[in-house]
Amino acid sequence: MLYSPRTMAKIERVRNIGIVAHIDAGKTTVTERFLYHAGKIHRHGEVHDGRAQMDYMEQERERGITITAAATSFDWKKHEIHLIDTPGHVDFTIEVERSLRVLDGAVVVFCAVGGVEPQSETVWHQADKFDVPRLAFVNKMDRVGASFSSVVDEMRRRLGARPAPIQLPLGAEDTFEGAIDLLRMQRLTFTGDITEGPIVSDIPEALRGEAEAAREQLVEAVADVDDGIAEKYLEGQAIEEKELRAAIRRASLGNALVPVLCGAALRNKGLHPLLDAVVDFLPSPMDVPPVAGVDPADTSRALERRPKSSEPLSALAFKVSMDEGRKTVYLRVFSGSIAPGDEVYNVRAGVKEKVSRLFNVHANRRQRIDQATAGMIVAAAGLKSATTGDTLAAQSDPILLERIDSYEPVMSVAVEPETNAERERLEFSLGKMVEEDPTFRVRDDEETGQTVVSGMGELHLEVIVDRLTREYGVKAHVGKPQVVYRETIRAVSEASATFERELKEETLSGTATCRVAPLARGEGVVIRSAIDEDPPLPEAIHDGAMQGLRDAAQAGPDGFPLQDIEVVLTSVAYRDEAQPSVAVRAAASEAFRRAVKDASPIRLEPIMDVEVTAPEEHIGSVIGDLNQRRGHVEDVGARGEKSVVRAQVPLRSMFGYSTELRSITQGRANFSMHFRAYDSLDA
């Protein structure tokens, strides 16, 4: 069955949104309820029993967590909503990053008990990076310790956000029954029956004073960012629902305010108003600025594309998926249109590719469509060269869009096939997974001959190995996880080297000098030339020496990648005989190695931000254990009835921590961690 493309007028009724949050805040449950209420599915599944439709991987169903971003689409009140349900675990944060890159809006789910948790901060700042307008949904209002006001306060304090509650919750914990809609000034009662919407009624007299005070606070918040509302508010004029709603939409689209709602998704409470808010307060593709890029032939020339099918094609490949070895590329079409059989231009690769089929996607199920137009998120088959972050454009009028940032892996394991016959299958399978996941790396260890795979953490690598066995049928032995180290230097050093070699009847000879100096953490590797000779060095000689420095700067004395170092080429000498550029390249490489060796090189390791939530009586044991792991405790605070410890801990000290934490707290604590920075082992 082919899906007919929508008319251009309908683009204003499109919403491209993501559901993002900390792990276990309830993202996937919210998505499942959205799909049920919209009539997309007729039986809702639960995450905890492995039946959620959006968690379709076996690894997701077994662990009860989202591992890969899953896309779907549905209709709600004559609006077409494209939705991506993203993971909440830090090991899979790239899935959030690349989803937010192509989305127009997001629903950020917070746990009413946990509040703003570490990964909540991460996804919030990822949304800040792409200027994505947001709604906030305070979930699990029925849980013991739930506090709507505490979460709103934490949003202000920890995220620097300007939350604007548009609902006043009625009750909390086991008494949570509904909310007061502060725009319509009506009471919404949530029965908990998934087949029923909220029951709308007048606000009881006993609650009217509290409701009016909450609405006054909402109006004040909107008046702070909207001149029209401010003028009427200062003059004491009544502000009607329609104009307040329009002002909140303007403020939300401009990221000046974040509308906040509440509910309990698992108990089917609060989802209808949240869906209405997606339509009311999140942008259509027409409401966001035109996508920006550059002319690939002249990257100093800025270009942009408006979300119209009449514009030249521009689309971003934001995700690659392998289904039984067949490649599917997920695209956000920003302008123009694509149909099966069309040739598109891969700007990065500089090649033309042919789209064989297009699909609308619902988790792991697909529906063929005959065209994708501006504003749509679709899957395409037939694109052989496209990878995450590639731009697909019209060859006659190309544009290069900003690529998607990736993350460097921090943990590795060695994988060895059981037999030589398995080696080819292992290499094939790993190659397919590298195409899917920009944070997954594979290399061969020259010393041991082993295949080493690197990822973002223990869970990431565990899932990779599990997929090797289940999806690709690879039989392999897996080593213990090892930390991925980096190297840097602590001192300034300068060194020279001369390369001479007899080559048949010719002599290769070149000399180079370079200086190395440490940079601040996160500065990377900077390589530059300070040679200013008259007459200038021949270009081939200069380029050869610089290439020698770049080659050598790939790794430090212990073979780990270098970072935070400045390398300066200070002089070059050569004899104008056979291949002088080869000689100075080799000399520059050796000069660099000597300089680094004399610059107090040190090894760096990944340091993690760790947050532990535990009952007060166990905090002493938690802190003592973190200290034994070479952790540095930064803060001890409170979240509801529990205490929260925040610390920096080396990643290599965190192996097996979940088991130890359960032991010392009788299973009453939980923790989360995410990468902070590389730092010195002896810091």
Side-chain angles (χ1 to χ4, degrees), residues 225-452:
V225 297
D226 189 282
D227 291 342
I229 298 295
E231 186 176 341
K232 295 192 74 171
Y233 178 69
L234 292 173
E235 292 176 358
Q237 298 181 40
I239 298 171
E240 301 299 324
E241 175 201 341
K242 184 177 179 180
E243 57 188 331
L244 183 58
R245 190 180 298 276
I248 293 173
R249 177 173 178 80
R250 289 192 295 271
S252 175
L253 299 188
N255 274 315
L257 285 180
V258 180
V260 187
L261 300 91
C262 62
L266 187 62
R267 304 288 178 238
N268 310 307
K269 297 182 177 183
L271 279 305
H272 286 80
L274 182 58
L275 272 168
D276 291 341
V278 166
V279 168
D280 290 343
F281 304 124
L282 291 182
S284 76
M286 297 295 292
D287 294 318
V288 298
V291 66
V294 296
D295 184 341
D298 178 9
T299 55
S300 64
R301 179 173 170 244
L303 299 175
E304 62 180 30
R305 294 284 187 268
R306 293 172 297 168
K308 293 186 176 181
S309 295
S310 57
E311 292 257 317
L313 172 68
S314 66
L316 188 71
F318 68 93
K319 180 180 171 68
V320 174
S321 176
M322 295 293 174
D323 183 7
E324 297 180 351
R326 294 189 294 271
K327 181 176 178 179
T328 301
V329 180
Y330 288 75
L331 305 173
R332 164 67 192 266
V333 182
F334 288 102
S335 64
S337 62
I338 312 177
D342 284 356
E343 280 193 340
V344 297
Y345 182 58
N346 185 325
V347 181
R348 175 196 60 83
V351 298
K352 289 191 292 186
E353 301 200 65
K354 192 170 185 178
V355 177
S356 60
R357 286 168 293 169
L358 289 172
F359 305 95
N360 264 343
V361 178
H362 173 61
N364 61 337
R365 297 201 293 274
R366 299 168 189 167
Q367 177 189 23
R368 289 184 65 180
I369 58 176
D370 59 7
Q371 190 179 36
T373 55
M376 292 182 71
I377 293 175
V378 296
L383 301 174
K384 296 179 180 178
S385 301
T387 61
T388 298
D390 280 2
T391 303
L392 303 180
Q395 188 170 13
S396 59
D397 198 352
I399 183 174
L400 179 62
L401 305 178
E402 182 183 354
R403 285 187 64 83
I404 296 172
D405 289 340
S406 187
Y407 297 86
E408 288 300 313
V410 297
M411 190 176 291
S412 298
V413 294
V415 181
E416 290 187 351
E418 288 189 356
T419 64
N420 285 332
E422 287 288 310
R423 184 170 297 279
E424 188 174 333
R425 183 181 293 181
L426 173 66
E427 291 174 356
F428 171 82
S429 306
L430 292 176
K432 292 294 184 184
M433 286 195 275
V434 166
E435 277 198 81
E436 286 184 293
D437 188 347
T439 61
F440 179 54
R441 305 279 197 279
V442 179
R443 66 178 175 86
D444 291 325
D445 190 303
E446 294 181 1
E447 293 184 4
T448 65
Q450 292 177 312
T451 298
V452 178

Side-chain angles (χ1 to χ4, degrees), residues 154-169:
E154 281 196 34
M155 287 177 64
R156 267 191 214 99
R157 187 164 38 86
R158 294 184 61 179
L159 302 177
R162 300 189 69 171
I166 60 174
Q167 291 180 339
L168 177 67

Side-chain angles (χ1 to χ4, degrees), residues 469-492:
T469 303
R470 292 195 192 188
E471 292 180 28
Y472 295 96
V474 175
K475 297 176 182 177
H477 299 292
V478 181
K480 292 182 179 179
Q482 302 290 325
V483 167
V484 176
Y485 293 103
R486 295 284 187 270
E487 292 182 73
T488 192
I489 58 175
R490 289 180 287 189
V492 177

